[in-house]
Amino acid sequence: MMKTVIRLKDDAVMVFDDRGEQMTAYQGQYDQVREKVLEEASLGAVFVNWFGNNAIPQTVSREEW
């Protein structure tokens, strides 16, 4: 189950499960994995954008992600 979904400034997407393991089936470029991630993410999944040089990523809504 997806726990954390991160979009980086270069539009790469990283996805982690509730054990902190990467879920490579959902990772890739934003435009290529966006729909699949949004369709299959649980309601409790946390979506974040990690743009720029921020030390801490910004939590966003599923719709904003």
Side-chain angles (χ1 to χ4, degrees):
M1 172 188 332
M2 284 184 233
K3 177 72 175 178
T4 307
V5 180
I6 302 171
R7 180 179 176 191
L8 302 172
K9 69 179 178 179
D10 64 355
D11 271 347
V13 174
M14 299 187 308
V15 180
F16 299 90
D17 65 15
D18 54 354
R19 296 182 318 264
E21 299 290 326
Q22 289 189 15
M23 301 180 73
T24 57
Y26 299 100
Q27 296 184 165
Q29 287 302 117
Y30 179 77
D31 290 341
Q32 296 172 343
V33 299
R34 179 183 176 276
E35 287 184 37
K36 182 177 181 179
V37 168
L38 292 174
E39 287 174 4
E40 299 183 21
S42 66
L43 293 177
V46 176
F47 289 84
V48 298
N49 290 335
W50 202 346
F51 300 153
N53 294 325
N54 296 335
I56 299 173
Q58 177 185 12
T59 302
V60 297
S61 68
R62 178 185 297 254
E63 296 77 22
E64 186 179 355
W65 182 79

